[in-house]
Amino acid sequence: VQLVESGGGSAQEGGSLMLRCVVYGSVLAIDVMGWYRQSLGKQRELVATITSDNMVTSADPRFTVSRDNADKAVTLHISSLKPEDTAIYYCNAKVTEAVNREGARRSLEAWGVGTLVTVSS
């Protein structure tokens, strides 16, 4: 299973940004998908997650998360950007994947490599 993030980069304070993550691999089901972030010198923290039945957990009203089950993708929209939003953003997914042709499967938690978001004032 591989998670590929896109959409990071530089943005201005007050603007908005969209991040997208696509899950690749022999995925049978995706439970929770979402985003975490880590700023310099801080621990990784939850940004927003969304379950398979679209229950959302968000750390801030400025964060909007959505998912496209057909594309195995999750999108994060951040509005009213602040310099403190500067961080590496990581995609996360709890998936069930096929192990072999005999029907064996396993559940695992996967992470993307992260995408840097820099907000300047």
Side-chain angles (χ1 to χ4, degrees):
V1 174
Q2 185 179 12
L3 277 56
V4 179
E5 299 129 332
S6 60
S10 299
Q12 292 291 318
E13 182 176 11
S16 62
L17 194 71
M18 184 171 291
L19 305 179
R20 180 175 168 85
C21 170
V22 180
V23 181
Y24 294 94
S26 301
V27 176
L28 300 174
I30 303 175
D31 185 8
V32 183
M33 307 178 76
W35 295 88
Y36 292 73
R37 70 184 184 184
Q38 188 167 17
S39 306
L40 191 64
K42 295 185 178 181
Q43 290 189 338
R44 191 173 297 189
E45 62 181 4
L46 178 144
V47 176
T49 61
I50 182 167
T51 66
S52 56
D53 53 1
N54 293 319
M55 295 295 291
V56 171
T57 299
S58 177
D60 191 304
R62 299 181 297 115
F63 305 150
T64 302
V65 64
S66 60
R67 62 190 283 167
D68 183 334
N69 293 321
D71 288 345
K72 300 187 180 69
V74 60
T75 299
L76 175 70
H77 183 265
I78 308 174
S79 61
S80 303
L81 284 164
K82 304 175 182 180
E84 49 264 44
D85 292 323
T86 295
I88 298 175
Y89 285 73
Y90 296 91
C91 180
N92 173 273
K94 296 178 175 61
V95 307
T96 299
E97 69 168 355
V99 175
N100 56 37
R101 296 180 181 180
E102 286 70 42
R105 58 181 63 187
R106 65 178 177 183
S107 296
L108 58 90
E109 181 176 19
W111 291 90
V113 298
T115 183
L116 177 63
V117 171
T118 303
V119 181
S120 56
S121 57

